[in-house]
Structure formats: C-alpha cells, structure tokens
Amino acid sequence: MQPTAPLLRRLRRLALTTKQVNGGYYKGTGSGSMGRHTKHGGYIIDYKKVRTYVVPKDLKDFKLTPFVTKTMEPLKGFFEGDPKGGLSGDRYLDRWKRENGMD
C-alpha cells in the first residue's frame, strides 16, 4: 500500500528525521558549541562563541511589551517570622509531627 500522489508531496515538505535518512545525518539541537574540550576531560569556553544579547537603551517608547504585567505586586513569603525562611528544619519537623503524629 502506498500513499496517494498529493499526500506523498505533502510528506516530502516535512522536516527530515534521522530515521528517514541513511547513516551520517545528524540533526543536532541547534545549540552550537561554546568552546572546546581539552585532552584531560575539561572544557574551555571561547567567549567569542558565547551568545550575548544587547538590550536597547531606551525602552520607554518601545511598542512591544513583556508577557508579564508590570503592575503586579510582589508576593509576600510564607516564612516572614523565620530567619531561615523555607529552609528551616524546625518548621519541617513541626509540620511532619502535625500530619503524622508523634512517634
């Protein structure tokens, strides 16, 4: 069974996969190399290859807007009284005892 001629033409326009081509075809991820490997297993970054993005200086009259609104208030944390914040082991143990009972 073979596909019809119009369907076959449509299939040819799709991007190739590695299963459709003989050996030696490597699609890659589009990331590119940022440096080179050393013979000792390290990696040296070549800063001429690193991508840098330059932000325009005057963004006040810029027509495009970000996806996040600029008027959003910052959220308050849940750990305002605890100096260690969410990383406090005491807070974790208290919650564990409340939910699972004492051993």
Side-chain angles (χ1 to χ4, degrees):
M1 183 173 171
Q2 290 191 352
T4 61
L7 183 61
L8 191 60
R9 270 186 250 123
R10 189 176 299 158
L11 286 175
R12 285 186 184 146
R13 285 191 215 129
L14 295 175
L16 289 174
T17 66
T18 54
K19 293 182 179 182
Q20 295 170 327
V21 186
N22 290 334
Y25 175 72
Y26 178 70
K27 187 172 182 179
T29 60
S31 59
S33 72
M34 298 287 184
R36 61 184 174 89
H37 294 279
T38 64
K39 64 181 180 179
H40 303 292
Y43 193 76
I44 297 175
I45 295 176
D46 184 7
Y47 288 100
K48 291 183 278 186
K49 293 182 172 184
V50 175
R51 293 181 188 98
T52 56
Y53 301 100
V54 179
V55 179
K57 291 180 182 175
D58 187 24
L59 291 178
K60 296 223 184 260
D61 299 327
F62 199 65
K63 294 179 182 178
L64 297 177
T65 58
F67 293 119
V68 179
T69 180
K70 294 179 181 178
T71 60
M72 184 174 170
E73 300 268 334
L75 297 174
K76 299 280 185 189
F78 299 112
F79 312 104
E80 293 162 354
D82 195 355
K84 291 186 180 179
L87 301 175
S88 173
D90 297 332
R91 186 177 291 268
Y92 172 78
L93 288 175
D94 290 340
R95 181 175 174 184
W96 190 88
K97 287 176 185 175
R98 267 186 288 137
E99 292 178 4
N100 299 314
M102 298 291 284
D103 277 344

